[in-house]
Amino acid sequence: MPKVKTNSGAKKRFTLTGTGKLKRKHAYHSHILTKKTKKQKRNLDHFALVDKTNIKQVRELLILR
């Protein structure tokens, strides 16, 4: 039986915290930043946790069981 591969896109976008939670980046912080306010860009700069409704999907992409 072949090895199960981790989704390459997911492994670049999500990281596991020390307590086992999934960390993600905010969207809308990569380009077209001139029209966004300093406050908006500052708030998008921080990491966020994956919502509980999406944890199962992300864990399957990362082959975390």
Side-chain angles (χ1 to χ4, degrees):
M1 190 161 163
K3 293 179 180 178
V4 180
K5 291 188 177 182
T6 300
N7 183 287
S8 296
K11 79 181 166 192
K12 295 170 193 171
R13 287 170 172 83
F14 302 103
T15 51
L16 207 60
T17 64
T19 55
K21 295 175 183 173
L22 289 162
K23 202 164 63 167
R24 66 171 177 85
K25 277 189 169 181
H26 283 281
Y28 308 108
H29 192 63
S30 58
H31 59 90
I32 314 175
L33 299 174
T34 51
K35 62 175 78 168
K36 292 170 187 150
T37 62
K38 288 178 186 177
K39 182 178 180 180
Q40 187 178 4
K41 289 183 278 191
R42 183 173 63 244
N43 289 334
L44 291 172
D45 201 31
H46 307 295
F47 281 94
L49 294 175
V50 175
D51 191 72
K52 64 179 182 180
T53 57
N54 298 323
I55 287 176
K56 186 178 177 185
Q57 295 166 318
V58 175
R59 289 182 78 85
E60 283 176 7
L61 292 171
L62 296 173
I63 318 293
L64 299 171
R65 295 187 176 114

